[in-house]
Amino acid sequence: LLAVIVAFTVFGSRKGFVKAFLDGFSTLIAGVLAYSFVDEAAKFAYDSFARNLLRNRLENAFTMNLTDYNTIQEKVEVLIEKIPESAVNIAGKMGVNITAVSDSIIRANPTDQDVIIDTIMVNVVDQVIMPLIEAVTLVVLFIAFVLVLSLLTHLLDGFVKKMPWLLPIGVICV
């Protein structure tokens, strides 16, 4: 078995074994790096872009679309009813019970719409949107790291082929 591995390594080295190995290794490193930075990057993306946009949409829905309703209870019930069924199902699968959040807001009977919007943001939007942003961020970071490490691998390969005497690995790459 060892002789077969050595033979494939020797023959493979002539066809770019080291380059193939470095490409595979860089993909693994890209995955580790992406996973390491996903929490901070997703939080930054959410706080910088998505949170304010979603909060503004909730505020607009409250002020523009709910002017015909007098009580907070009516406004909350109508706002919850306007959420698409697919969004309610997705939230439910992510552990967020929209009806329970609505009931807790109505029971608390807040008089300020900012309190209601904050409650919806913390209990619904943050819990549903953040995992989605984390997933997208992980993919984007992984692709970015793969591209950067692939570029570095190709630069190293070209450098070693031009000056194999600088690195011991150059003997294998040439």
Side-chain angles (χ1 to χ4, degrees):
L1 181 61
L2 184 60
V4 171
I5 292 173
V6 170
F8 278 115
T9 303
V10 169
F11 293 122
S13 68
R14 294 184 183 165
K15 295 182 182 181
F17 170 78
V18 172
K19 185 175 182 271
F21 175 77
L22 288 176
D23 283 343
F25 188 68
S26 67
T27 301
L28 177 68
I29 295 298
V32 170
L33 287 172
Y35 185 76
S36 298
F37 291 108
V38 71
D39 291 336
E40 294 85 9
K43 184 171 179 0
F44 173 77
Y46 180 69
D47 290 342
S48 299
F49 308 109
R51 185 164 177 68
N52 290 335
L53 175 72
L54 295 168
R55 183 173 178 77
N56 290 340
R57 288 196 176 186
L58 272 174
E59 288 173 353
N60 289 340
F62 237 92
T63 55
M64 294 179 158
N65 300 331
L66 302 175
T67 55
D68 296 338
Y69 303 96
N70 295 326
T71 67
I72 294 293
Q73 179 176 351
E74 290 174 330
K75 289 182 177 186
V76 169
E77 287 173 353
V78 170
L79 190 63
I80 297 298
E81 286 173 6
K82 289 185 177 190
I83 298 174
E85 187 66 29
S86 59
V88 172
N89 291 337
I90 290 171
K93 289 179 182 177
M94 297 178 89
V96 176
N97 184 340
I98 303 261
T99 306
V101 173
S102 171
D103 291 345
S104 71
I105 292 170
I106 292 169
R107 275 193 309 275
N109 197 20
T111 55
D112 185 14
Q113 94 175 20
D114 285 336
V115 172
I116 296 168
I117 291 170
D118 288 342
T119 303
I120 293 171
M121 288 295 294
V122 168
N123 293 312
V124 179
V125 177
D126 292 353
Q127 301 301 317
V128 174
I129 299 297
M130 191 61 186
L132 297 175
I133 290 176
E134 285 175 347
V136 170
T137 303
L138 180 65
V139 170
V140 169
L141 285 175
F142 176 73
I143 291 170
F145 283 130
V146 164
L147 291 174
V148 167
L149 291 174
S150 177
L151 176 67
L152 291 174
T153 300
H154 291 296
L155 289 173
L156 177 66
D157 185 50
F159 182 73
V160 168
K161 284 184 179 179
K162 288 181 182 176
M163 296 181 221
W165 50 271
L166 289 177
L167 295 171
I169 203 166
V171 175
I172 298 174
C173 292
V174 177

